[in-house]
Amino acid sequence: MDTIVDGLINKVAQTVEKNALLILGIKDQVDDLVRELRSLQAYLGEAGKKENWRDNAVLVEVEQSIRNVARDAEDAIDKYIVERRIHKAKPTLKRWAEKAAYYTKVNLSAREIESIKDRAKKIRQDYAHPLQLLQAGSLNNHQPAVLQAPVVEEDDVVGFDGEAKTIKELLTKGSKDTTFISIVGMAGLGKTTLTKMVFNDSDIQYEFFTRLWVYVSRSMNRRQIFMDIISRFTKQTDDFKNVSEELLAESIKEYLKGGKYFIVMDDVWHKKDWDLLKIAFPNNHNGSRVLVTTRNNVVATYADTYAKPHNLKFLEDEECLELLKKKVFRKEAFPGYLEAPGRSIAKKCNGLPLAVVVIAGVLNKDQVSSWNEVAENPMPILNRQTQDYNDILRLSYNQLPSDTKDCFLYLAAFPIGHEIFVWKLIRLWIAEGFIPPSNSTMERTADSYLKEFVSRNLLMVVKRRADGDIKTCRLHDTLHEFCKDEAVKNYLFHEINGARIEANDNYRRLCIRSSLNDFIVSEDKPSGEHIRSLLASDKLDVKREHLATIPKAYPFLKVFDVENVKFEILPKEFYQLYHLRYLAVSTDLKILPKPFTEQWNMETLVFNTSQSIIDVKAEIWKLAKLRHIIANAQLQFPTPQNCKEKCGDLQTLSPISPKSCTEAILEKMPNLLKLGVRGNLVELLDSKGGVCLFDNVGKLLNLQNLKLVHESSNDQSSTIRSFPRDEKFPSKLRKLSLSNTSIDWKHICVLGSLNELEVLKLKESAVKGEYWELNNTVFKSLRFLSIGRTDLVKWTCEKSSFPALNKLYLSHCTSLEAVPLAFKDVKSLKVMELFCTNKKAAASARTIREQKQGDGFDLSIYPPADN
């Protein structure tokens, strides 16, 4: 309860703080209201911490009352702010003419807020006595102390060695016909873990040239699955946009034709789903395999070629204990005094790995009491028959810090099984108001929440970035169901899946799983000022005549995430969504219109278009709260005219056109952390009259991440002939990515002088030349180096050239004769990947591996033919 009340009241307080100048007309009433809410917040604090507060009618009634008051307060203040802003924007004469009408509205707002304050005061007075009794101990149910979470070891696998061997034999032996193999087991038994173990096995990588992982899930989206598979073979996915699902299946057959493939279809729920999917997999008569995981025995038998699915076994108690030790202590020694409670806990897990993993998230390795409390609980952690994880998940959920709980539940706002991009997730959390102000930036606070969920084994890491940070994540289906149910109880969000739902003023966020267009035209759809977020996962277009309906139906939207939905235009009504903080949209527009300047609350803009260039007409430097601008086409900005404002909070801008990298434009964005530049980079890097536009990039003192993409015609005027000296680069630069620049290797040596550089990505055609000699060049901080398609033949370096390198990735370096042998002596080097190189390069890499035996070194060579 504390997190629900705190979250709502904090949002009201933040709204007041961020709009201090706009509430002057009703400041006294608003201040009194916030004080009353804060008083009630403190009053409820202790009572709301009780684990089973929902079982007490008094607390439930108080919680509902204060929820309504806080939300009404937020709505009333937001409504007034819009009225005030619109009035201030009018010409002076018009403001004067409408003065009487405006102040009538101000008085009405003041009376409304005064009324809400009186309601809050009455709640505190009416419930004062029962709340005091509750605080004194009427709800005296003991719960474990807040516990320190263990650090998760993602590769911990226990009890699957024999299972993995069996599955590998099924994959590599037997018929040459394409064979379907199924693994069946209840939720949390480890089907996906076992399958990933096999999928990443070096022998399997060697055996199958093409390996694909497809997550199906209960709400199977056939078109999306087929498009995801096609995207592994071609970047031209737009060509398939209007193709039928049957023709998509035929296209997949063509891509798979002839090769030996291994495809995992993870979490299939229904026989009819399998029938719709399997038609895409051809019989190449070369030993191809498709592995299906499912909870359903009927589906498993139906999908398996020989109707003999592999039934996944439960872990033994000893294996549960071993897994528990690994999850809590990692590589540290397990203390003997925890052996007894550990065995008791392991037994309660009933052989289910998920139960072990989740309970490990609430055990403190330095606190015996936390182990004893779980061990002495008379109830089993999980019953195999009911397959109900709610008790154990609630135990882990209750131990989360209160500020993080809404963020955790919000993970289920994404579709089940969805691979969530962390960048997007964090920006949504911020826009939703879930991240409280602190001494750190909101992005860093949000990132710490994410790592908290991972460390408590509540969230799975899918992909990591070059620097080790989490790139994408996924919520286990069982946790997704828990989060969704809990979110609905707390009115955090509601899912719309095509079924009719009752209108409800408690709806604040709508997650639309069905067609957005159908939802918009529906007469009984939830709508009104109380709805603050619309999130749609549908990929279909919205008809032009229906577009204006959205801002009219939801005038107070703060989050509008429709990145996958195509909007032909953005009608003028969109620019009247003054509270909008997060907008992700796809359009056919080639301009960012001037009315966008009125989006004064905007924090994150994701603007995708079918055009190659976006002409920015809006004066974005007037948007003081703007933090991130991401587009899929180069942004061309106008030169600021007589404008003193700056985008002081802007952190991300990508991609901007080279011509826009002028001093007048970039000085408006002094605190950029990430910048992408795309276009003819000759305009950026060449000096004209002694002036080089790249010098302006170098003046961005806080810039940490720079991405340069060269796009041009093939004439001589588009050839990059010069490259900046080291002192011209931003001093804090940590990540640099170059694409299609075709610069000489000697220019790369210049980058060795960048003391903070940790990640260097030389993508396709970034560098040209057959020889790279580092001589005395030292990349002293570089941890990740990738080299894409290049004509490099000879590469020489010393062991001192890359003293901190952790990962080396080479792709399509088909002419490279050898990977420098000096890497055998680079102690920090742990991972080397060669993708589509040649036999000589592969042989040299294997020599390095032999020299580094016992050094924890991992070498991956693909395709296996290079071995």
Side-chain angles (χ1 to χ4, degrees), residues 479-490:
L479 277 84
H480 190 282
E481 290 166 4
F482 170 83
C483 288
K484 187 173 74 171
D485 291 345
E486 196 70 18
V488 170
K489 289 178 188 174
N490 295 336

Side-chain angles (χ1 to χ4, degrees), residues 414-428:
F414 294 88
I416 191 167
H418 188 75
E419 186 174 339
I420 304 169
F421 279 87
V422 167
W423 189 94
K424 177 176 182 174
L425 176 65
I426 284 177
R427 274 71 199 176
L428 282 170

Side-chain angles (χ1 to χ4, degrees), residues 34 42 75 145 180 244 270 278 348 391 611 642 691 712 762 786:
V34 171
D75 290 348
F180 302 115
S244 69
H270 307 290
K278 70 179 182 181
K348 291 174 182 289
D391 287 344
Q611 311 294 323
N642 302 318
V691 177
S712 66
L762 305 175
S786 71

Side-chain angles (χ1 to χ4, degrees), residues 624-727:
K625 299 177 184 178
L626 194 59
R627 304 171 78 85
H628 309 280
I629 305 177
I630 297 291
N632 65 341
Q634 54 177 289
L635 298 155
Q636 290 191 349
F637 288 87
T639 301
Q641 301 293 332
N642 302 318
C643 177
K644 295 181 180 179
E645 294 92 344
K646 291 185 177 181
C647 274
D649 287 344
L650 191 65
Q651 300 175 24
T652 307
L653 176 61
S654 181
I656 189 174
S657 71
K659 288 182 179 179
S660 297
C661 293
T662 64
E663 182 176 9
I665 291 174
L666 292 185
E667 71 176 2
K668 295 290 184 184
M669 312 160 187
N671 296 313
L672 275 178
L673 298 177
K674 181 176 181 179
L675 175 65
V677 185
R678 183 196 297 178
N680 187 349
L681 294 184
V682 173
E683 299 168 349
L684 177 73
L685 301 175
D686 280 5
S687 296
K688 293 182 180 179
V691 177
C692 177
L693 289 180
F694 190 82
D695 293 353
N696 301 317
V697 176
K699 294 175 184 176
L700 295 170
L701 301 181
N702 295 303
L703 196 70
Q704 298 180 15
N705 191 334
L706 178 61
K707 184 176 183 178
L708 303 177
V709 181
H710 185 48
E711 291 180 347
S712 66
S713 58
N714 293 322
D715 57 40
Q716 290 296 313
S717 63
S718 298
T719 302
I720 298 175
R721 303 182 186 281
S722 60
F723 197 69
R725 300 190 303 275
D726 58 320
E727 66 268 18

Side-chain angles (χ1 to χ4, degrees), residues 105-131:
K105 291 181 180 178
V106 171
N107 289 331
L108 287 173
S109 294
R111 285 202 294 271
E112 183 180 7
I113 290 170
E114 186 73 29
S115 172
I116 295 170
K117 182 202 78 173
D118 290 343
R119 284 166 54 198
K121 186 175 181 180
K122 189 173 187 301
I123 292 170
R124 180 167 55 83
Q125 293 172 344
D126 288 352
Y127 291 100
H129 182 63
L131 284 175

Side-chain angles (χ1 to χ4, degrees), residues 601-616:
N601 270 311
M602 187 64 69
E603 296 173 353
T604 299
L605 172 64
V606 180
F607 195 84
N608 294 327
T609 178
S610 56
Q611 311 294 323
S612 59
I613 295 174
I614 302 171
D615 194 5
V616 181

Side-chain angles (χ1 to χ4, degrees), residues 23 65 123 151 265 280 402 521 530 550 675 701 738 744 759 796:
I23 62 166
S65 299
I123 292 170
V151 178
M265 304 298 287
S402 60
V521 301
H530 57 283
I550 299 172
L675 175 65
L701 301 181
L738 304 177
D744 194 274
V759 175
T796 60

